[in-house]
mmCIF file of all heavy atoms in Angstrom:
data_model
loop_
_atom_site.group_PDB
_atom_site.id
_atom_site.type_symbol
_atom_site.label_atom_id
_atom_site.label_comp_id
_atom_site.label_asym_id
_atom_site.label_seq_id
_atom_site.Cartn_x
_atom_site.Cartn_y
_atom_site.Cartn_z
ATOM 1 N N ASN B 26 38.797 -17.266 39.831
ATOM 2 C CA ASN B 26 39.293 -16.042 39.193
ATOM 3 C C ASN B 26 39.176 -14.854 40.133
ATOM 4 O O ASN B 26 38.997 -13.712 39.686
ATOM 5 C CB ASN B 26 38.562 -15.784 37.872
ATOM 6 C CG ASN B 26 37.069 -15.595 38.070
ATOM 7 O OD1 ASN B 26 36.577 -15.588 39.198
ATOM 8 N ND2 ASN B 26 36.335 -15.436 36.981
ATOM 9 N N LEU B 27 39.291 -15.142 41.428
ATOM 10 C CA LEU B 27 39.158 -14.117 42.464
ATOM 11 C C LEU B 27 40.508 -13.567 42.906
ATOM 12 O O LEU B 27 40.567 -12.682 43.760
ATOM 13 C CB LEU B 27 38.420 -14.697 43.682
ATOM 14 C CG LEU B 27 37.004 -15.207 43.389
ATOM 15 C CD1 LEU B 27 36.502 -16.080 44.537
ATOM 16 C CD2 LEU B 27 36.078 -14.034 43.151
ATOM 17 N N ASN B 28 41.575 -14.126 42.369
ATOM 18 C CA ASN B 28 42.941 -13.753 42.764
ATOM 19 C C ASN B 28 43.202 -14.046 44.244
ATOM 20 O O ASN B 28 43.982 -13.346 44.897
ATOM 21 C CB ASN B 28 43.227 -12.275 42.461
ATOM 22 C CG ASN B 28 44.721 -11.995 42.386
ATOM 23 O OD1 ASN B 28 45.506 -12.850 41.979
ATOM 24 N ND2 ASN B 28 45.121 -10.815 42.786
ATOM 25 N N HIS B 29 42.541 -15.077 44.756
ATOM 26 C CA HIS B 29 42.750 -15.476 46.139
ATOM 27 C C HIS B 29 43.999 -16.342 46.260
ATOM 28 O O HIS B 29 44.271 -17.191 45.416
ATOM 29 C CB HIS B 29 41.547 -16.264 46.644
ATOM 30 C CG HIS B 29 40.364 -15.402 46.937
ATOM 31 N ND1 HIS B 29 39.119 -15.937 47.258
ATOM 32 C CD2 HIS B 29 40.220 -14.064 46.977
ATOM 33 C CE1 HIS B 29 38.272 -14.957 47.494
ATOM 34 N NE2 HIS B 29 38.914 -13.811 47.312
ATOM 35 N N ASP B 30 44.740 -16.138 47.368
ATOM 36 C CA ASP B 30 45.929 -16.948 47.602
ATOM 37 C C ASP B 30 45.569 -18.337 48.139
ATOM 38 O O ASP B 30 46.223 -19.315 47.824
ATOM 39 C CB ASP B 30 46.851 -16.260 48.606
ATOM 40 C CG ASP B 30 47.616 -15.102 47.987
ATOM 41 O OD1 ASP B 30 47.958 -15.198 46.797
ATOM 42 O OD2 ASP B 30 47.865 -14.112 48.688
ATOM 43 N N ALA B 31 44.561 -18.404 49.004
ATOM 44 C CA ALA B 31 44.254 -19.660 49.700
ATOM 45 C C ALA B 31 43.114 -20.407 49.024
ATOM 46 O O ALA B 31 42.129 -19.816 48.590
ATOM 47 C CB ALA B 31 43.874 -19.367 51.154
ATOM 48 N N MET B 32 43.266 -21.725 48.949
ATOM 49 C CA MET B 32 42.218 -22.579 48.412
ATOM 50 C C MET B 32 42.073 -23.804 49.296
ATOM 51 O O MET B 32 43.019 -24.224 49.968
ATOM 52 C CB MET B 32 42.511 -22.979 46.964
ATOM 53 C CG MET B 32 42.567 -21.778 46.013
ATOM 54 S SD MET B 32 42.695 -22.208 44.284
ATOM 55 C CE MET B 32 41.038 -22.810 43.923
ATOM 56 N N TYR B 33 40.848 -24.364 49.289
ATOM 57 C CA TYR B 33 40.503 -25.436 50.215
ATOM 58 C C TYR B 33 39.630 -26.482 49.521
ATOM 59 O O TYR B 33 38.870 -26.155 48.610
ATOM 60 C CB TYR B 33 39.676 -24.891 51.395
ATOM 61 C CG TYR B 33 40.204 -23.647 52.053
ATOM 62 C CD1 TYR B 33 40.005 -22.392 51.476
ATOM 63 C CD2 TYR B 33 40.889 -23.705 53.258
ATOM 64 C CE1 TYR B 33 40.468 -21.234 52.072
ATOM 65 C CE2 TYR B 33 41.355 -22.564 53.870
ATOM 66 C CZ TYR B 33 41.139 -21.325 53.277
ATOM 67 O OH TYR B 33 41.601 -20.189 53.881
ATOM 68 N N TRP B 34 39.729 -27.713 50.009
ATOM 69 C CA TRP B 34 38.784 -28.755 49.626
ATOM 70 C C TRP B 34 38.115 -29.298 50.877
ATOM 71 O O TRP B 34 38.783 -29.649 51.852
ATOM 72 C CB TRP B 34 39.477 -29.903 48.899
ATOM 73 C CG TRP B 34 39.637 -29.679 47.440
ATOM 74 C CD1 TRP B 34 40.768 -29.342 46.770
ATOM 75 C CD2 TRP B 34 38.609 -29.790 46.449
ATOM 76 N NE1 TRP B 34 40.515 -29.226 45.424
ATOM 77 C CE2 TRP B 34 39.186 -29.503 45.195
ATOM 78 C CE3 TRP B 34 37.251 -30.105 46.492
ATOM 79 C CZ2 TRP B 34 38.476 -29.517 44.003
ATOM 80 C CZ3 TRP B 34 36.530 -30.127 45.309
ATOM 81 C CH2 TRP B 34 37.141 -29.835 44.080
ATOM 82 N N TYR B 35 36.769 -29.347 50.819
ATOM 83 C CA TYR B 35 35.973 -29.903 51.906
ATOM 84 C C TYR B 35 35.153 -31.072 51.373
ATOM 85 O O TYR B 35 34.740 -31.096 50.215
ATOM 86 C CB TYR B 35 35.010 -28.860 52.478
ATOM 87 C CG TYR B 35 35.646 -27.795 53.319
ATOM 88 C CD1 TYR B 35 36.076 -26.596 52.753
ATOM 89 C CD2 TYR B 35 35.819 -27.978 54.682
ATOM 90 C CE1 TYR B 35 36.650 -25.603 53.531
ATOM 91 C CE2 TYR B 35 36.392 -26.995 55.468
ATOM 92 C CZ TYR B 35 36.803 -25.810 54.888
ATOM 93 O OH TYR B 35 37.368 -24.831 55.662
ATOM 94 N N ARG B 36 34.882 -31.975 52.280
ATOM 95 C CA ARG B 36 33.957 -33.070 51.985
ATOM 96 C C ARG B 36 32.718 -32.873 52.847
ATOM 97 O O ARG B 36 32.821 -32.566 54.048
ATOM 98 C CB ARG B 36 34.639 -34.402 52.303
ATOM 99 C CG ARG B 36 33.700 -35.587 52.256
ATOM 100 C CD ARG B 36 34.412 -36.878 52.523
ATOM 101 N NE ARG B 36 33.436 -37.960 52.672
ATOM 102 C CZ ARG B 36 33.616 -39.192 52.258
ATOM 103 N NH1 ARG B 36 34.756 -39.541 51.676
ATOM 104 N NH2 ARG B 36 32.675 -40.098 52.421
ATOM 105 N N GLN B 37 31.541 -33.065 52.243
ATOM 106 C CA GLN B 37 30.288 -32.914 52.969
ATOM 107 C C GLN B 37 29.510 -34.214 52.912
ATOM 108 O O GLN B 37 29.220 -34.731 51.832
ATOM 109 C CB GLN B 37 29.440 -31.778 52.385
ATOM 110 C CG GLN B 37 28.158 -31.531 53.158
ATOM 111 C CD GLN B 37 27.356 -30.374 52.605
ATOM 112 O OE1 GLN B 37 27.601 -29.875 51.513
ATOM 113 N NE2 GLN B 37 26.372 -29.918 53.359
ATOM 114 N N ASP B 38 29.193 -34.751 54.070
ATOM 115 C CA ASP B 38 28.347 -35.926 54.197
ATOM 116 C C ASP B 38 27.124 -35.544 55.027
ATOM 117 O O ASP B 38 27.233 -34.736 55.954
ATOM 118 C CB ASP B 38 29.105 -37.069 54.883
ATOM 119 C CG ASP B 38 30.283 -37.546 54.071
ATOM 120 O OD1 ASP B 38 30.053 -38.285 53.103
ATOM 121 O OD2 ASP B 38 31.430 -37.178 54.386
ATOM 122 N N PRO B 39 25.978 -36.135 54.743
ATOM 123 C CA PRO B 39 24.758 -35.774 55.488
ATOM 124 C C PRO B 39 24.949 -35.902 56.983
ATOM 125 O O PRO B 39 25.419 -36.922 57.483
ATOM 126 C CB PRO B 39 23.734 -36.785 54.960
ATOM 127 C CG PRO B 39 24.230 -37.168 53.617
ATOM 128 C CD PRO B 39 25.725 -37.150 53.714
ATOM 129 N N GLY B 40 24.573 -34.859 57.713
ATOM 130 C CA GLY B 40 24.631 -34.883 59.169
ATOM 131 C C GLY B 40 26.025 -34.744 59.760
ATOM 132 O O GLY B 40 26.170 -34.802 60.987
#
Side-chain angles (χ1 to χ4, degrees):
Chain B
N26 61 4
L27 300 165
N28 200 32
H29 285 172
D30 284 326
M32 298 188 73
Y33 313 79
W34 275 104
Y35 286 92
R36 170 178 171 144
Q37 183 178 13
D38 296 282

